[in-house]
Amino acid sequence: MHKVYSSSYASSNSISMLPAEPKIFHGRDAEVTHILQLFRQESPRIAILGAGGMGKTSLSKAVLHHHEIATKYHANRFFIACDGSINKVELASVIGAHLGLKPGKDLTKAVLRNLASAPPTLLILDNIETLWDPVESRKETEEFLSLLTDIPTLALLITMRGAERPSKVQWTRPFLLPLQPLPREAAQKMFLDIADDNHSMEEVNQVLT
Ligand SMILES: Nc1ncnc2c1ncn2[C@@H]1O[C@H](COP(=O)(O)OP(=O)(O)OP(=O)(O)O)[C@@H](O)[C@H]1O
Ligand SMILES: [Mg+2]
C-alpha cells in the first residue's frame, strides 16, 4: 500500500529551484563514491567539511545532480544556501519558502511537520557555518539539526567550513574526511578549463605551486 503524504508538501508556491550542476568538476571521484555509499544507508546524515574554497559546495551540487540521487529523491531535493541566515528562525523561514509554506513568525515546527510527512527528501544545507560558528546561534542550530535528523525519511547533507562536525547528530559512518586540495592533475584540468588557450603546461604548474 502506498503511504499517503501531506498535500501541502512542496506546493506550487514553492520557491525551490535547484542550482546548476558544476560544469567544471574534476578530481572528486573518491568523495562522490564515498557519499553515494553513505546514501545507500538508511537516513544518511553527511557533513562535507574543509577549509574555505576547497570545493564543498561544488561537491554537494555534484551529488545533488548525480543520477542515483535524482532517481531516488526526484523533485524532493532541496538546496538551501544558509549564508543569508543569521539564526535558526531565519533558516527555518528560508527552508519553509523552499517547501512552499506560508510565511510566518517561526516556521521551525511547520518545517519539521512538513518534512516528516513528505516522501523521502534530500535537504542540503550549504555553508551552515554561518549559523554554527557564532556562539550565539550554535546551540539552536545544533538542536534544529538534531530535530531534522529525527525524521527517518530525510537525508541531510550539510557543507561547513572547518574540520568539526556539529554535535547532537549521529553522522553516518564512515565519516567523510575534510576535503583536501585537488590532486595536481585535477587542478591542472581545472586551470585549463577556466584559463584561455595560450598557456604552456610549465606556466600552469608555476601557477599551481
Ligand atoms: N572539483 C572541482 N573541479 C573544478 N573546480 C572546482 C572544484 N571544486 C571547486 N571548484 C571551484 O573552486 C571554487 C570554490 O569552490 P566551492 O565554492 O565549491 O568551495 P567551498 O569549499 O564551498 O567554498 P566556501 O568555503 O567559500 O563555501 C569555485 O569557483 C568552484 O567552481
Ligand atoms: Mg561553499
Side-chain angles (χ1 to χ4, degrees):
M1 201 177 88
H2 293 293
K3 192 168 174 195
V4 178
Y5 295 108
S6 150
S7 60
S8 68
Y9 185 74
S11 75
S12 54
N13 298 329
S14 160
I15 62 156
S16 201
M17 211 177 71
L18 295 181
E21 186 172 5
K23 301 291 174 295
I24 301 174
F25 189 69
H26 302 289
R28 294 293 186 205
D29 292 356
E31 288 82 357
V32 171
T33 304
H34 185 152
I35 293 173
L36 291 177
Q37 274 165 1
L38 296 176
F39 267 97
R40 287 178 202 130
Q41 298 186 39
E42 235 170 275
S43 315
R45 283 82 180 79
I46 303 162
I48 301 178
L49 304 172
M54 206 48 78
K56 304 176 291 297
T57 298
S58 303
L59 177 58
S60 74
K61 288 178 186 169
V63 169
L64 173 73
H65 288 286
H66 191 279
H67 65 89
E68 269 187 41
I69 300 299
T71 306
K72 188 166 178 189
Y73 298 101
H74 303 280
N76 302 314
R77 289 172 291 159
F78 297 95
F79 182 96
I80 314 287
C82 299
D83 43 6
S85 305
I86 56 157
N87 56 41
K88 181 208 60 170
V89 171
E90 283 193 16
L91 178 62
S93 138
V94 177
I95 300 174
H98 277 76
L99 295 175
L101 301 181
K102 263 204 309 217
K105 208 159 141 231
D106 182 356
L107 293 186
T108 308
K109 282 192 180 142
V111 161
L112 293 167
R113 260 199 315 271
N114 190 278
L115 289 172
S117 61
T121 297
L122 167 60
L123 183 65
I124 296 183
L125 299 177
D126 185 43
N127 281 104
I128 199 168
E129 73 278 351
T130 37
L131 289 112
W132 188 81
D133 279 349
V135 274
E136 316 84 74
S137 55
R138 180 173 297 187
K139 192 160 169 260
E140 62 175 21
T141 304
E142 289 187 339
E143 267 156 21
F144 185 51
L145 289 177
S146 168
L147 289 168
L148 283 171
T149 57
D150 284 343
I151 302 170
T153 49
L154 185 77
L156 180 74
L157 175 64
I158 66 162
T159 83
M160 188 162 117
R161 282 190 188 175
E164 207 182 327
R165 286 171 190 79
S167 60
K168 300 200 183 130
V169 171
Q170 280 210 322
W171 299 103
T172 306
R173 288 165 190 266
F175 293 159
L176 184 71
L177 294 176
L179 292 191
Q180 298 303 310
L182 288 175
R184 171 166 288 270
E185 204 187 320
Q188 283 170 343
K189 282 189 186 153
M190 176 179 85
F191 185 89
L192 292 170
D193 276 347
I194 57 179
D196 57 43
D197 291 337
N198 315 317
H199 296 279
S200 68
M201 198 46 86
E202 238 172 58
E203 286 172 315
V204 173
N205 283 330
Q206 261 175 18
V207 173
L208 296 177
T209 38

